[in-house]
Amino acid sequence: MTDFRPKYITFDCHGTLIHFQMAEAARDLYGSDLTEPQMQAFIADFSAYRLDEVMKDWQPYADVVHNALERTCKRNGVAFKPENAQNIYERVPSWGPHADVPEGLAKVAKEIPLVTLTNSMDAQIHDNVAKLGAPFHAVYTAEQAGAYKPHFKAFEYMFDMLNCGPEDILHVSSSFRYDLMSAHDLGIKNKVWVNRGHEPANPYYGYTEIPDISHLPGVVGL
């Protein structure tokens, strides 16, 4: 892909750039009440229900977390406490980047504008982005778009705001289900999958695989 110089490199933020610690938060709150196999099932369900919640019409992310946690507790026979959902939601702005992120982003940012399209609230995301160690040309949220990824509407909002098309960007994510499947269907041919172990490889969707963001400069010949 080194012969392709995009107008923008667009990123998923939470999980790809930010160490998204939902599993750790769930373990902090429920680990003492569950066996390890039960905790693993709880974490998997919490992840699945968050995806299911963002597939609905847009709702504040606090509601996404609340509803997903309540459904997870019900499925796993655990008492649900609304204050636990609020606790998890309030942790999100404090989370920082994966160790490989700042140096890799800083190198790329010198040559190509960086953009993030994130399933986040306006009031939270800027605390996360400030920890990334590189300047961002634009930060677009699900709140602004009125839709969460993987809805096409979120990506289309980004295209409109940047006044560009799918052919102009390189999209980077660690998730097929939230990002790369939709990116493929929308005609984004230049994609990077950051293999952080969240999901198995799926070559059908056409991407360059890297283990972390320190390898991103090489993808665009830097």
Side-chain angles (χ1 to χ4, degrees), residues 44-56:
D45 289 341
F46 187 32
S47 176
Y49 279 126
R50 291 197 309 275
L51 177 61
D52 192 60
E53 286 293 324
V54 301
M55 292 303 297
K56 301 177 181 178

Side-chain angles (χ1 to χ4, degrees), residues 27 55 60 99 158 166 217 219:
R27 188 177 291 277
M55 292 303 297
M158 179 177 69
V219 174

Side-chain angles (χ1 to χ4, degrees), residues 38-39 57 75 92 95 131 137 143 160 174 217-219 222:
Q38 289 172 332
M39 191 70 242
D57 289 341
R75 182 170 182 175
V92 175
W95 295 337
K131 299 178 178 71
H137 171 77
E143 183 177 8
D160 289 345
S174 61
V219 174
L222 299 176

Side-chain angles (χ1 to χ4, degrees), residues 203-222:
Y204 172 82
Y205 290 98
Y207 52 83
T208 297
E209 178 180 346
I210 59 175
D212 58 55
I213 296 297
S214 70
H215 291 76
L216 182 60
V219 174
V220 289
L222 299 176

Side-chain angles (χ1 to χ4, degrees), residues 25-102:
R27 188 177 291 277
D28 285 347
L29 293 167
Y30 297 99
S32 62
D33 300 323
L34 299 171
T35 66
E36 182 57 25
Q38 289 172 332
M39 191 70 242
Q40 291 293 335
F42 188 97
I43 289 169
D45 289 341
F46 187 32
S47 176
Y49 279 126
R50 291 197 309 275
L51 177 61
D52 192 60
E53 286 293 324
V54 301
M55 292 303 297
K56 301 177 181 178
D57 289 341
W58 184 86
Q59 57 184 324
Y61 195 66
D63 293 348
V64 171
V65 175
H66 180 285
N67 295 341
L69 187 63
E70 184 173 23
R71 296 169 73 187
T72 300
C73 287
K74 180 179 180 181
R75 182 170 182 175
N76 289 272
V78 175
F80 171 69
K81 297 179 180 179
E83 58 267 30
N84 284 350
Q86 186 65 25
N87 178 296
I88 293 174
Y89 175 76
E90 291 176 353
R91 293 185 187 203
V92 175
S94 70
W95 295 337
H98 294 283
D100 53 271
V101 167

Side-chain angles (χ1 to χ4, degrees), residues 8-9 113-117 126 129 135-140 161-162:
Y8 304 99
I9 301 181
L114 309 183
V115 174
T116 183
L117 177 64
H126 294 287
V129 172
F136 271 72
H137 171 77
V139 175
Y140 301 126
M161 295 301 293
L162 293 174

